Amino acid sequence: MRATFSDSRILSNQHGNDNMCQLVSAKKEELVSILERFHIQVNNPVSILTQEMSKHFLHSKGEGDKYRFFMKATQLEQMKEDYIHSKETKHVAMAKVEQHAEVLKDLKRKVQEKEERFNSLESLDNMNAKLEELQKQMAWALVTEMEKELLPLQEKLQSDKRCTEKYNEKVEEWKNKVVEAENKYKQIHEQLESITLRVQELLPQCAQLKAEAQRCNARHKSSEVSVHRCKTNLRDLEKDKTQLSSRINELKLSISQTTGAESQARAEQMEQIQAELHNLAHQESTLRQQIDQYQQASSRAKDELDKMSQEQDSLQRSMNSKRRNLQTMESSRSNRLRRFGEHMPMLLSAIQEAHQSGQFRQKPRGPLGYCIRPKDPELALAIEICLTNQLQAFTCDNYEDEKVLKAIMSRIIRRGRRPTIITSAFLPRVHDTSRRCVDHPLYPSVLQSLEIEDPVVANCLIDQRGIESILLIKNRAEARRVMQDRNPPRNCTQAFSQDGDQIFTNRSYTAEQSRANYLSGDVEEEIRLLEGEVENQSAQLTQFQQQMRKVEEDIRQNDGLLSRAHMEQKKTKDKARKLQLMLADLQNVEEPQSEDLKPLEEDLEETIGKISAKHIEYVAAQADMAQLKASCEEAEQEYEQLKDHISRVAEEADSIKEELSKSDQDVVKCKHHQNHYEEKRCCHLDNIQTLEVDLNSKKQELETLVAKAIQICSERLTVDRTPRSLDTEISRLRVKITTQQDQQGDRLEIMRQYREAVGKYKDVAQQVETLNDSIKTLDSINNDSLKSLAELRRFLSYRCQCYFNSMLDQRGFTGSMKFDHKRETLSISVQQASGANADVSDMRSLSGGERSFSTVCFVLALWAVTEAPFRCLDEFDVYMDMVNRKIATGMMLKVATTQRFRQFIFITPQSMSSLPVSKYINILRLKDPARGGNDEEEEQE
């Protein structure tokens, strides 16, 4: 080992006398390890006591310094430092344990998090396994569902094939019915033509008989007038005869009773009364005529008033209807549905809510007029009249929906007429009407004139009204010409003009409606026209009311005049009756004048002759009248019989016309049903073909699904759940797996992090446990070390005292060493044997030699209690005299002789020649150093 200039040490190996050294190491740790191995204590003053250390020790006054020297020499200080270091190590370990405990908590939390994520990987594996199982079930569930779908398709296909025969039977049945209806129509038409010919043949004869009856009636009336005139003449002649006879008798009886003056006065009075009676009769006749006139005028006025009242009521109803239409039109500005009734928006809202809540299998359509629009606004009136009964109607797919719709209508429409409900199965496409529709090059059909977006509405109108076979011709004359020609358009049943007139092949009807209420396009124009009509009708109603008030005033005036005329007539009759009574009285008291009775008698005879002649004439007139009456009655009877015959024939013709119309409708209906069933048969065959194609595709799809299912799971599974529920669960599970994967991250990374976290946690836990064990061990060691240190310190101090006293005794000194381990002090007292009796507590009071000797004794005592392979003293005898040096040297040599396993090195400037020769003592004497001037040479051994 050699030192370098950089305060470092180099370990080398040298063989023999070779000057070449082999480098072994330059590390301080290895040097320290060698020193510890050989127990070489370089810094121990007992092992190597340098001159400076000795001087410091000798001149030291503090007891603490001596105690520290003792502790350092006996390595108790090293043990104490080791103990302190151990305690510090323990505190450091405890701090590390606390720090590691905090870290351990964090690591435990991280481990729990990683464990949760790791455990979630297990749940993820479970979910993946469940997903795989669900996919297997899904594969076979699809197969099961497809098989279940195939069963009704196969059953439906077989059922439809069986139903084909029924459709064929229906088509043949309606073909036969069409033929029968056409034959019946031809027969009825022929009967109608024959009856028409008979009526036309009877009409001239009837006219001739009517003229003859009228002539006979005129002659009879003339004969009646003659008979009446003869009868009147006879009555007058009889009256004259009676009067003449009475006059003659009265004259004969009263010739002698009166005088001439009185007779003349009575005569004048009677003439005056007769004149008044004549005037009263004339006045009564005039009043009677006036009464008749007033009654006739009042009757005519009342009839006119009744007619005007009826017209006013009709006008009022028309005006109210137009006002309602006007209100409907005004409310339909924002909502066209209100044209079909104020309740319609609420009804459709209720239908929509019921449909959304699942009460309907298929949502009803309606009102049908709201679902259609005319392409040409000019034909709106014709279309509306054609579809009058269907515009406000609703259509349902089945009877269950019809019941629900009726319940909704009864709840919404509590009063008034409810819309019609038509129940017919909904189809996704419009009927094929190419075989039975009318196809005219100039005029469209109703179906062609409408814009219908919903095929359900179109099919309903086709089935209910046959709109594909109805033409729309704007001009009325042209419509009649087209329809009532010998060759009407094929498949055309009727036509409508622009004004709404309905024309058949054999009849026509004029429309009562003048404007479209539901299908008109320009609402503002309709409102303007309706407002104008309402104003006109209001003016007409006002005019009617004025006229009615005028007529009522006329009636009141006529009634007043009539009542006054009746009163006048009554007064006139009363006056006439009084005058007649007066005249009768005068006639009764009148006496016959002295007149010549012969003229009266001659007049009487002449009157009798006239009566006889008139009677003969009267009888002849009566006979003639009876004959004319018989001939007239006969003519009238013949006329009435012929007229009745014609009426019966006409009635028969009317019934035949009704039968013809009904037969025509039957023909149309049969053709419609025939076309309907032909279309249904075609649709049915198309459905069968489509069903077969679907069935084949489903079978292929089933085979594909079975193959895929076998690939996924070779063994067939029995699955009770539906594919939809499985698909929902699979989707939910996939989303959950994806979400969990996104949250967790990479599986391998999670497992690595979990293992690292667990490993790190275990390492830290192991470190904590190790540290805790170390702390416990350190506690135990420290306690043992402290006890051992105290015991060793006590033992060494005692030995040191013993050896020190023994060494002093060799010089003849006595002394003591007092250790105070608590205060860490060491007091040494030395007493010379020949000196004073008092103890010396301070070694510096001794001489230099004595102090050196005491030091050597102290060092030797320390040597006795310490273990070291080397003992080295530098200039230990510098301050000793010869006696002390000799005693000290002897003592040291004696000690060295007893400890041959140790090496003792003594460095001194004194001569050692006095030492005995021994093989155990090796004296090395250095060369004298070069000195200049008067310096003395010193010898060192």
Side-chain angles (χ1 to χ4, degrees), residues 336 365 367-375 383 387 391 395 428-431 445-463 465-468 519:
R336 183 169 167 257
R365 307 301 199 273
L368 298 181
Y370 182 71
C371 303
I372 62 175
R373 293 182 184 275
K375 297 179 180 178
I383 296 173
L387 304 176
L391 291 177
T395 179
R429 56 181 178 274
V430 181
H431 292 325
S445 66
V446 177
L447 179 61
Q448 294 170 347
S449 301
L450 289 174
E451 293 179 358
I452 308 176
E453 297 179 357
D454 195 343
V456 174
V457 177
N459 293 335
C460 181
L461 294 177
I462 290 171
D463 294 336
R465 193 66 181 88
I467 58 176
E468 77 281 2
L519 302 179

Side-chain angles (χ1 to χ4, degrees), residues 64 192 328-329 503 533 553 558 586 668 747 851:
L192 182 62
T328 302
M329 286 292 180
I503 298 99
E533 290 182 357
E553 184 64 27
N558 288 329
L586 290 174
V668 173
R747 178 186 180 88
R851 190 167 55 248

Side-chain angles (χ1 to χ4, degrees), residues 4-17:
T4 63
F5 293 101
S6 60
D7 195 17
S8 62
R9 302 292 183 269
I10 296 176
L11 298 176
S12 60
N13 187 15
Q14 183 177 358
H15 297 281
N17 296 323

Side-chain angles (χ1 to χ4, degrees), residues 463-699:
D463 294 336
Q464 298 296 321
R465 193 66 181 88
I467 58 176
E468 77 281 2
S469 59
I470 301 174
L471 281 179
L472 296 177
I473 305 172
K474 292 185 177 181
N475 187 275
R476 184 187 306 169
E478 181 66 17
R480 289 180 177 174
R481 185 190 65 79
V482 171
M483 290 301 298
Q484 296 178 355
D485 196 5
R486 293 183 178 178
N487 295 318
R490 181 175 173 270
N491 294 332
C492 182
T493 59
Q494 53 187 304
F496 284 87
S497 67
Q498 181 178 352
D499 298 329
D501 295 339
Q502 186 177 12
I503 298 99
F504 292 91
T505 55
N506 55 356
R507 63 191 183 281
S508 61
Y509 300 99
T510 303
E512 297 179 358
Q513 187 176 343
S514 61
R515 184 178 296 104
N517 295 325
Y518 302 108
L519 302 179
S520 59
D522 191 354
V523 178
E524 297 298 332
E525 180 65 21
E526 290 295 326
I527 291 174
R528 187 181 61 79
L529 293 174
L530 282 173
E531 286 177 348
E533 290 182 357
V534 169
E535 289 178 359
N536 293 333
Q537 288 186 348
S538 179
Q540 290 179 8
L541 184 62
T542 304
Q543 185 177 0
F544 265 116
Q545 290 174 352
Q546 292 176 357
Q547 291 178 1
M548 288 176 66
R549 286 194 294 269
K550 185 178 179 181
V551 171
E552 288 175 353
E553 184 64 27
D554 293 340
I555 290 172
R556 284 194 297 271
Q557 291 178 1
N558 288 329
D559 290 340
L561 293 173
L562 183 61
S563 62
R564 286 196 296 270
H566 278 297
M567 291 175 66
E568 290 292 333
Q569 186 182 21
K570 184 178 179 181
K571 290 178 181 180
T572 304
K573 286 183 177 180
D574 293 340
K575 190 177 181 180
R577 189 167 54 253
K578 290 178 181 180
L579 291 174
Q580 286 177 357
L581 291 173
M582 291 174 64
L583 182 61
D585 292 339
L586 290 174
Q587 288 177 353
N588 290 331
V589 298
E590 183 180 4
E591 293 181 359
Q593 299 293 328
S594 59
E595 296 177 354
D596 194 1
L597 295 176
K598 190 175 180 179
L600 294 174
E601 293 175 354
E602 290 177 358
D603 292 335
L604 180 59
E605 290 177 0
E606 185 179 358
T607 300
I608 292 171
K610 288 180 180 181
I611 288 172
S612 299
K614 283 295 180 182
H615 185 69
I616 294 170
E617 185 180 354
Y618 174 70
V619 172
Q622 277 187 339
D624 190 14
M625 184 183 69
Q627 184 179 1
L628 289 173
K629 184 177 181 181
S631 61
C632 181
E633 289 177 354
E634 184 178 358
E636 286 180 355
Q637 186 176 3
E638 290 179 358
Y639 171 69
E640 291 296 332
Q641 289 177 355
L642 184 60
K643 186 178 179 181
D644 293 338
H645 180 65
I646 292 173
S647 299
R648 288 194 298 273
V649 173
E651 289 177 358
E652 185 179 356
D654 291 336
S655 63
I656 291 174
K657 285 181 180 179
E658 292 178 359
E659 291 180 2
L660 183 64
S661 177
K662 186 176 180 181
S663 177
D664 186 17
Q665 293 178 359
D666 291 339
V667 171
V668 173
K669 182 178 179 181
C670 292
K671 287 183 178 179
H672 175 73
H673 283 289
Q674 178 187 351
N675 295 330
H676 174 68
Y677 281 109
E678 286 179 352
E679 288 181 358
K680 289 190 74 173
R681 182 176 64 179
C682 293
C683 293
H684 181 70
L685 294 175
D686 294 338
N687 290 334
I688 290 175
Q689 187 177 0
T690 305
L691 202 60
E692 289 177 347
V693 173
D694 292 340
L695 189 61
N696 293 329
S697 64
K698 293 283 185 183
K699 287 182 178 179

Side-chain angles (χ1 to χ4, degrees), residues 738-844:
T738 304
T739 304
Q740 195 164 351
Q741 286 179 348
D742 294 339
Q743 292 176 354
Q744 293 175 354
D746 188 14
R747 178 186 180 88
L748 296 177
E749 181 66 20
I750 292 171
M751 295 176 67
R752 184 186 65 77
Q753 291 178 359
Y754 175 67
R755 285 195 294 270
E756 288 180 356
V758 171
K760 193 172 182 181
Y761 176 77
K762 289 181 178 179
D763 292 341
V764 175
Q766 185 67 33
Q767 290 178 7
V768 171
E769 185 178 0
T770 304
L771 286 174
N772 287 325
D773 294 340
S774 300
I775 289 170
K776 292 179 180 179
T777 304
L778 281 174
D779 283 337
S780 177
I781 291 173
N782 287 338
N783 294 330
D784 294 340
S785 297
L786 186 61
K787 292 179 181 180
S788 299
L789 178 62
E791 185 68 23
L792 183 62
R793 185 176 57 189
R794 184 183 62 80
F795 176 71
L796 289 177
S797 62
Y798 180 75
R799 285 186 63 188
C800 187
Q801 289 176 357
C802 293
Y803 279 108
F804 181 70
N805 290 330
S806 176
M807 296 301 175
L808 288 179
D809 187 57
Q810 294 180 13
R811 179 72 171 82
F813 289 175
T814 60
S816 64
M817 297 177 68
K818 294 182 180 180
F819 290 90
D820 190 352
H821 298 293
K822 291 183 179 181
R823 289 186 289 180
E824 295 184 351
T825 58
L826 172 61
S827 61
I828 301 175
S829 61
V830 179
Q831 181 182 4
Q832 296 181 3
S834 60
N837 295 325
D839 290 337
V840 180
S841 60
D842 189 359
M843 291 180 64
R844 284 185 295 177

Side-chain angles (χ1 to χ4, degrees), residues 188-206 642 645-646 649-650 652-654 656-657:
I188 296 171
H189 193 270
E190 290 175 357
Q191 291 179 5
L192 182 62
E193 287 182 351
S194 63
I195 290 172
T196 304
L197 290 175
R198 286 169 57 192
V199 170
Q200 290 177 356
E201 291 175 355
L202 292 173
L203 284 176
Q205 185 179 357
C206 181
L642 184 60
H645 180 65
I646 292 173
V649 173
E652 185 179 356
D654 291 336
I656 291 174
K657 285 181 180 179

